[in-house]
Amino acid sequence: MNEIDALSSTKYKKLHSLGAGTFSEVFLVQQIESGEIFVCKEVLLTGLDESTVIQLFTEAKVLEALKHPHIIEIKEFYRTESQKLVFILEYAARGDLHVWLKSLIEPVDEFLARRSFIRVDSSALSGSQVCT
């Protein structure tokens, strides 16, 4: 973790916004040194009590340890001086499961749905074994 806002501006270049919610903003970024594309999610910490912030960091450390082909990888995360929790995430150019499901013209058959769920479930289980 790094407490300095300048870290992200010297390591990553913001390309454009991917979206925003009540407590966060998401950007497509490029790592300056390698040219690799990542996603940067900035979560506002203002208004949260310190125990909640500590819990967020604990959960982020657990998620950072998950390494599986079906789980978006957290490359790094840190807290900034402007009270943001910043996640640098692997970029999924084709979108996420929600985007894929919305793109389907016909409903997913039961076999495909079950197979997809088993893959996601086994990803979560194998990740949890890494953390224990």
Side-chain angles (χ1 to χ4, degrees), residues 22-23 43-49 53 56 79 81-85:
T22 306
F23 299 103
V43 181
L44 291 174
L45 298 175
T46 52
L48 298 178
D49 60 64
V53 173
L56 282 171
R79 184 179 188 167
E81 289 178 346
S82 61
Q83 295 304 302
K84 292 179 184 175
L85 174 56

Side-chain angles (χ1 to χ4, degrees), residues 6 9 12 19 31 33 54 66 78 90 93 113-114 118 121-122 124:
S9 64
Y12 301 97
Q31 188 178 43
E33 189 175 298
I54 291 169
L66 295 177
Y78 52 90
E90 176 182 19
R114 182 177 290 133
I118 289 169
D121 190 46
S122 67

